[in-house]
Amino acid sequence: MHKKIKISLGLFSICGLLLFLILISCKTHSLKNQNKSGFVKIFDGKTLNGWEGDPTYWRVENGSLVGEITPSTLLKRNSFIIWKGGTPADFELTLDFRITKAGNSGINYRSEELSDLPYALKGYQADIDGANRYTGQNYEERGRTTLAYRGQKVMIKAQNETTVSGSLQSKIKNNAWTETTITGSLGNSDSLKSNIKSEDWNECRLIVKGNRLQHYINGVLMSDVTDNDTVNGKLKGLLGVQVHVGPPMKVEYRNIMIKQ
């Protein structure tokens, strides 16, 4: 009789300990994921499911979305792999990227796909390059060109009428849109550059709400644009990442998460 009681008490103690460990594990897991609340993974790290691009340049490797140009596959124009899961309007995007020294890439958002060219996007871009000359700035692909250099807080002026291609070009100088006002400084471009790791993994975070577009690298705000141009600006559109015309290069993206 006493042996049975002792065994029962022993089992009860073991069960209690197991329950305690499970509760601790759940709490720890919850804390780890607290900052990712509401974020959805849009790249599974294994396949290109949900993405569309030229397989000559895009593949999955070691859990990363890889874009690569080789000496035998040099580009005549920029090429994108496009997320086909929607056309985000207001959102936050986080991902890690790594790019070779000669590389040139970027994250396009609120973009439109060109009907006459495959895998080509037009729209806002969080610029990324291996030399970190442009990384963090806001550049509009096939549009108004540079909207804000790294370190700038910019307001884009409203436009009163539909801008045709010719007049659009007349408002671009030195590959930058001239219809802007610099409203503040986020820091010196070279000082901000010191926060970006060369040929190593960096975290990029985009906060896009209404007409305000913020680009962060490794937690540091690199550019901040308020776009009052309702003629040329966009409030929703496609998301994609780029391989750029130039020498052989490799760019890798991983942990791609979005919250809408």
Side-chain angles (χ1 to χ4, degrees):
M1 183 69 178
H2 292 296
K3 285 185 179 181
K4 287 182 180 180
I5 292 172
K6 287 181 179 178
I7 290 170
S8 297
L9 289 172
L11 287 172
F12 180 78
S13 298
I14 291 170
C15 290
L17 178 61
L18 287 172
L19 180 61
F20 175 76
L21 291 173
I22 289 168
L23 290 172
I24 290 294
S25 175
C26 290
K27 186 176 180 181
T28 302
H29 181 75
S30 176
L31 289 171
K32 282 182 179 179
N33 287 278
Q34 190 172 4
N35 292 331
K36 290 296 183 182
S37 177
F39 281 86
V40 175
K41 184 185 292 186
I42 59 173
F43 167 61
D44 64 19
K46 299 175 182 178
T47 70
L48 294 178
N49 291 344
W51 294 77
E52 189 175 286
D54 189 336
T56 303
Y57 302 101
W58 296 100
R59 67 181 186 275
V60 178
E61 181 178 277
N62 299 324
S64 297
L65 176 60
V66 176
E68 186 168 23
I69 300 170
T70 67
S72 61
T73 62
L74 296 177
L75 284 166
K76 293 183 179 179
R77 59 173 180 79
N78 301 340
S79 186
F80 289 82
I81 188 165
I82 304 164
W83 181 56
K84 291 296 185 174
T87 52
D90 289 0
F91 67 90
E92 291 186 39
L93 179 82
T94 62
L95 55 76
D96 302 324
F97 70 87
R98 179 168 64 181
I99 189 168
T100 54
K101 199 72 173 180
N104 194 335
S105 184
I107 307 160
N108 261 56
Y109 58 94
R110 287 187 177 176
S111 295
E112 57 184 274
E113 191 170 4
L114 274 63
S115 59
D116 56 337
L117 293 173
Y119 314 122
L121 288 179
K122 173 184 178 181
Y124 300 113
Q125 183 181 109
D127 221 334
I128 293 170
D129 71 296
N132 290 326
R133 182 180 176 185
Y134 308 111
T135 302
Q137 74 175 21
N138 193 316
Y139 182 87
E140 190 175 69
E141 177 87 0
R142 295 180 177 270
R144 293 168 291 176
T145 67
T146 305
L147 302 179
Y149 292 105
R150 183 170 60 226
Q152 289 184 334
K153 188 174 183 180
V154 169
M155 182 193 72
I156 300 176
K157 300 174 186 177
Q159 302 296 300
N160 294 323
E161 57 186 35
T162 302
T163 308
V164 297
S165 179
S167 58
L168 191 75
Q169 290 301 315
S170 71
K171 296 180 179 181
I172 296 171
K173 185 177 180 180
N174 298 326
N175 202 36
W177 186 243
T178 57
E179 295 289 299
T180 63
T181 301
I182 298 172
T183 60
S185 173
L186 305 172
N188 177 271
S189 179
D190 288 338
S191 297
L192 291 171
K193 178 181 174 179
S194 67
N195 295 287
I196 308 168
K197 292 174 279 187
S198 180
E199 296 189 283
D200 200 353
W201 288 104
N202 294 276
E203 182 193 51
C204 179
R205 181 182 177 211
L206 307 182
I207 300 180
V208 179
K209 295 182 179 178
N211 66 339
R212 192 173 184 188
L213 322 168
Q214 295 176 296
H215 298 175
Y216 291 80
I217 305 292
N218 296 326
V220 179
L221 183 58
M222 297 286 172
S223 64
D224 190 340
V225 170
T226 299
D227 192 354
N228 293 323
D229 180 357
T230 57
V231 173
N232 299 295
K234 295 290 185 291
L235 291 175
K236 68 175 185 177
L238 295 168
L239 177 72
V241 291
Q242 178 199 65
V243 280
H244 196 283
V245 170
M249 59 152 281
K250 183 179 180 181
V251 64
E252 301 164 84
Y253 293 97
R254 68 183 186 187
N255 301 326
I256 308 174
M257 309 277 287
I258 194 168
K259 178 168 71 172
Q260 299 183 72

